[in-house]
Amino acid sequence: MGRYFLGGAALAAALFSVTVADCPDYSAYSQQIHQPVSSGKYQLSSMRPDPACRTFNSSIVEDTITSMASVIKDPDLYRLFQNSFPNSLDTAVKWKGVSADNPEEELTFLITGDINAMWLRDSANQMQSYLSLVKADSSSDSLASLYRGVINLQARYVIEAPHCNSFQPPVESGLKPVQNQVLPDIFTPPVSNQTVFECKYELDSIAAFLEISTNYFQATGDIEFFRKFQWVDAINTILDATQALLIGTYASNGSVNTVPYTWQRTTTVGTETLDNNGRGNPVQAGTGLVRSAFRPSDDATIYQLFIPANMMFSRYLDSASEIMAAIGGQRNTANQMHNFAQSIRTAISKYGIINDNAYGEMYAYEVDGFGSRSLMDDANIPSLLSAPFFGYLNISDPIYQTTRKFILSEDNPYFMRGPVINAVGGPHAGLGQAWPMASIMRIFTSSDDQEITTALKEIVSTTDGLGLIHESINSFNQAIWTRQWFSWANGLFGQCILDLQQRKPEILQQSFQ
Ligand SMILES: *[C@@H]1O[C@H](CO)[C@@H](O)[C@H](O)[C@H]1NC(C)=O
Ligand SMILES: *[C@@H]1O[C@H](CO)[C@@H](O)[C@H](O)[C@H]1NC(C)=O
Ligand SMILES: *[C@@H]1O[C@H](CO)[C@@H](O)[C@H](O)[C@H]1NC(C)=O
Ligand SMILES: *[C@@H]1O[C@H](CO)[C@@H](O)[C@H](O)[C@H]1NC(C)=O
């Protein structure tokens, strides 16, 4: 998402004398090498801000970082973990406070990184990095509090603008809204640019709200929290918005339906705008799949029946229905959520699985319900590769395994290959740019030691000395990368290392030199 940065060779270390008043801008800080570098051959920069400049302190996260020193043997791999795991806490908690309407309602404005705005998807996943360390805790300096603040602010955003992906700081913060485009985007329904940074309708953004809600509930059992604020209203908004987006392009008499969302942007980039006067390519009626105008890369879908987001939405709508049921007095809504999740699952099986001549039965990335489909995968999550990671299916599912084999082969039009890094990419950062996020997802979905080791080695050796997880890296030249400060990918890497500690600790005892 967002801007396109090309990182050259690392800049010379700039030495700051840090006080709270003049903490360096992390966009610049993250492009410079800071001493001491790690002791392995990749000499990775120290990339944590000075303690006085960190945006949230968590002793349990600090203890985890310290304890991993004996778990991770390779000094460069450990440095990458040290820098990346706390990145969202160190740099992205732009504001934390309470609602003007209700001092009990915590709010957390958690930015994506190098853009001063909060994405629903990114913020849900930035918090997920710390999920294994979260427990019930009512204090305001806890990870649980940070979670509650993100959920409350997301609920506010969803209620005001359910079709939007990225949002401005809450008024309570006193932070100024930021302008996105020079020319305004043209879209329906209209929303205020004081609340919304960008209004690309992505089904996975809505699913992200259900994801973070599920994660917090399962970690804490704190049902009281879901009763108190705007959570039920946000769910009702989501149900209305997504049911309206089951609509096909044509009515049965042939007339063209009015669609609940359209989008056009003045741009030279095809994936930034929608065909057919902002409606997108035609979609068959009655499939039971929810449309998505954009992908989690913030690029337009080719066919709006986007399978990974339908999988993710179905999976978390079902788990969120359990929260709704536990609230009390919401049986009908809980049943509606569960039944809707099941009907999407049925539709995915009917329309989302195709029979490929070479591979056999596998999932398509996007379909239109008329018979057209796109066979590919993109690095951003939800992807097809990540379907077991977000819990839609089992890793052993034979159709998933066939799909995975395809995704990680040269038959996937967006699998980037080369001497530096081999991973899924996507149109967002362009051809030849492989995404470490997809290498991380490859590790999460593998139990093959060799495959995991190769992917880890590629990740640790391709940060251009900066010791952070970049958005994309040229598969032939690690000095050509995008996004120096992409908090989600950094947190995801930390989460992956903690997962390996549980599943395959011996891999973390290897050398990656
Ligand atoms: C984090 O702790 C440091 C001291 O180690 C302090 O200077 C800083 O203000 C704290 N940050 C926050 C957001 O509380
Ligand atoms: C909001 O829209 C108005 C009118 O188009 C424009 O003048 C203003 O700069 C916009 N503000 C932001 C933060 O984008
Ligand atoms: C065609 O069907 C749509 C949807 O049911 C309806 O709104 C519209 O009035 C119908 N048009 C004609 C010409 O019958
Ligand atoms: C995974 O498999 C188990 C055992 O067969 C089953 O109970 C569970 O529902 C499956 N999970 C998903 C997400 O399909």
Side-chain angles (χ1 to χ4, degrees):
M1 36 127 312
R3 298 165 222 168
Y4 192 69
F5 288 96
L6 289 186
L11 304 175
L15 295 173
F16 292 96
S17 162
V18 179
T19 68
V20 184
D22 63 359
C23 288
D25 171 13
Y26 199 73
S27 282
Y29 190 86
S30 53
Q31 296 185 65
Q32 299 151 350
I33 300 288
H34 306 279
Q35 300 297 332
V37 298
S38 59
S39 61
K41 79 173 185 190
Y42 302 114
Q43 301 186 36
L44 302 183
S45 171
S46 293
M47 226 19 123
R48 296 195 69 185
D50 186 278
C53 296
R54 295 178 190 166
T55 59
F56 190 83
N57 293 316
S58 164
S59 54
I60 185 162
V61 169
E62 295 305 329
D63 292 348
T64 303
I65 295 169
T66 307
S67 73
M68 290 300 281
S70 59
V71 175
I72 305 173
K73 192 164 165 217
D74 186 275
D76 295 328
L77 185 62
Y78 182 62
R79 173 57 58 83
L80 187 55
F81 175 77
Q82 241 179 337
N83 289 340
S84 63
F85 182 54
N87 189 261
S88 287
L89 302 185
D90 282 353
T91 68
V93 184
K94 195 77 182 178
W95 179 80
K96 188 173 183 303
V98 294
S99 164
D101 300 335
N102 181 351
E104 276 186 41
E105 185 180 349
E106 294 155 291
L107 297 174
T108 307
F109 183 60
L110 185 61
I111 63 169
T112 174
D114 47 20
I115 303 167
N116 207 5
M118 175 161 153
W119 265 252
L120 296 180
R121 167 184 49 258
D122 287 46
S123 57
N125 289 308
Q126 283 165 279
M127 289 311 302
Q128 195 183 70
S129 328
Y130 310 111
L131 184 60
S132 65
L133 307 179
V134 173
K135 48 186 187 324
D137 191 333
S138 58
S139 64
S140 66
D141 58 0
S142 62
L143 290 173
S145 167
L146 211 54
Y147 253 96
R148 290 189 293 271
V150 173
I151 295 170
N152 284 332
L153 188 54
Q154 286 200 358
R156 179 191 286 190
Y157 291 149
V158 164
I159 290 167
E160 183 166 341
H163 301 103
C164 303
N165 58 324
S166 168
F167 294 86
Q168 302 283 10
V171 283
E172 289 89 340
S173 69
L175 298 167
K176 290 249 175 317
V178 262
Q179 185 154 357
N180 187 357
Q181 296 292 312
V182 179
L183 292 172
D185 301 319
I186 303 162
F187 59 94
T188 56
V191 293
S192 165
N193 68 3
Q194 300 300 298
T195 307
V196 168
F197 175 76
E198 184 170 73
C199 196
K200 288 175 170 169
Y201 161 60
E202 303 166 358
L203 177 58
D204 82 280
S205 293
I206 296 176
F209 176 71
L210 306 173
E211 172 196 322
I212 189 172
S213 300
T214 298
N215 286 347
Y216 177 77
F217 180 62
Q218 291 180 350
T220 64
D222 181 8
I223 192 64
E224 197 48 45
F225 165 72
F226 292 93
R227 292 192 182 113
K228 276 191 206 159
F229 309 111
Q230 299 190 85
W231 192 78
V232 173
D233 290 346
I235 296 291
N236 284 320
T237 304
I238 286 174
L239 289 172
D240 289 347
T242 48
Q243 278 162 1
L245 282 152
L246 292 167
I247 196 167
T249 298
Y250 307 104
S252 55
N253 61 12
S255 72
V256 178
N257 287 325
T258 302
V259 281
Y261 173 84
T262 63
W263 166 275
Q264 290 174 288
R265 172 174 283 178
T266 305
T267 175
T268 55
V269 182
T271 49
E272 290 290 317
T273 190
L274 301 183
D275 281 350
N276 294 314
N277 291 320
R279 291 187 181 95
N281 290 319
V283 162
Q284 180 62 290
T287 61
L289 294 167
V290 183
R291 292 166 73 148
S292 190
F294 287 87
R295 299 172 177 171
S297 56
D298 300 338
D299 299 332
T301 49
I302 298 171
Y303 304 120
Q304 293 198 347
L305 306 180
F306 175 49
I307 300 302
N310 273 275
M311 289 174 162
M312 181 182 172
F313 181 66
S314 169
R315 179 263 185 264
Y316 286 115
L317 188 62
D318 209 10
S319 54
S321 77
E322 292 167 20
I323 305 175
M324 191 61 88
I327 282 179
Q330 298 288 350
R331 217 345 110 197
N332 286 348
T333 309
N335 286 343
Q336 195 190 344
M337 292 165 77
H338 171 74
N339 293 339
F340 191 16
Q342 290 304 314
S343 72
I344 294 170
R345 186 174 276 277
T346 303
I348 291 169
S349 298
K350 183 164 174 199
Y351 293 96
I353 298 172
I354 62 98
N355 203 335
D356 181 74
N357 285 342
Y359 284 84
E361 283 204 311
M362 59 184 241
Y363 285 105
Y365 189 64
E366 294 168 356
V367 301
D368 67 357
F370 291 106
S372 291
R373 69 267 179 125
S374 173
L375 301 185
M376 58 169 278
D377 205 26
D378 182 286
N380 283 268
I381 302 164
S383 54
L384 292 174
L385 184 62
S386 59
F389 172 77
F390 59 73
Y392 179 75
L393 45 68
N394 279 309
I395 207 153
S396 57
D397 181 318
I399 300 176
Y400 170 74
Q401 281 300 327
T402 303
T403 311
R404 190 178 187 279
K405 196 167 145 219
F406 163 82
I407 291 166
L408 299 173
S409 80
E410 58 199 70
D411 292 327
N412 170 7
Y414 286 98
F415 189 71
M416 304 305 163
R417 293 169 289 141
V420 171
I421 180 165
N422 293 269
V424 181
H428 195 77
L431 303 177
Q433 295 294 116
W435 287 49
M437 174 175 278
S439 302
I440 295 167
M441 195 45 61
R442 184 173 190 161
I443 295 171
F444 268 117
T445 57
S446 175
S447 53
D448 178 332
D449 290 7
Q450 190 53 54
E451 184 181 21
I452 294 171
T453 302
T454 303
L456 263 185
K457 174 129 204 239
E458 287 186 356
I459 293 168
V460 77
S461 64
T462 60
T463 73
D464 198 21
L466 293 166
L468 287 172
I469 303 294
H470 293 131
E471 179 191 53
S472 75
I473 298 162
N474 189 282
S475 62
F476 284 80
N477 180 358
Q478 64 171 291
I480 302 173
W481 47 260
T482 60
R483 292 195 73 186
Q484 72 274 35
W485 177 19
F486 181 22
S487 281
W488 170 20
N490 281 286
L492 187 70
F493 179 72
Q495 190 180 340
C496 176
I497 295 294
L498 295 183
D499 180 59
L500 283 178
Q501 181 197 9
Q502 298 299 315
R503 287 197 299 135
K504 296 211 167 256
E506 62 287 354
I507 287 185
L508 300 178
Q509 286 290 306
Q510 297 178 132
S511 166
F512 293 88
Q513 299 297 305

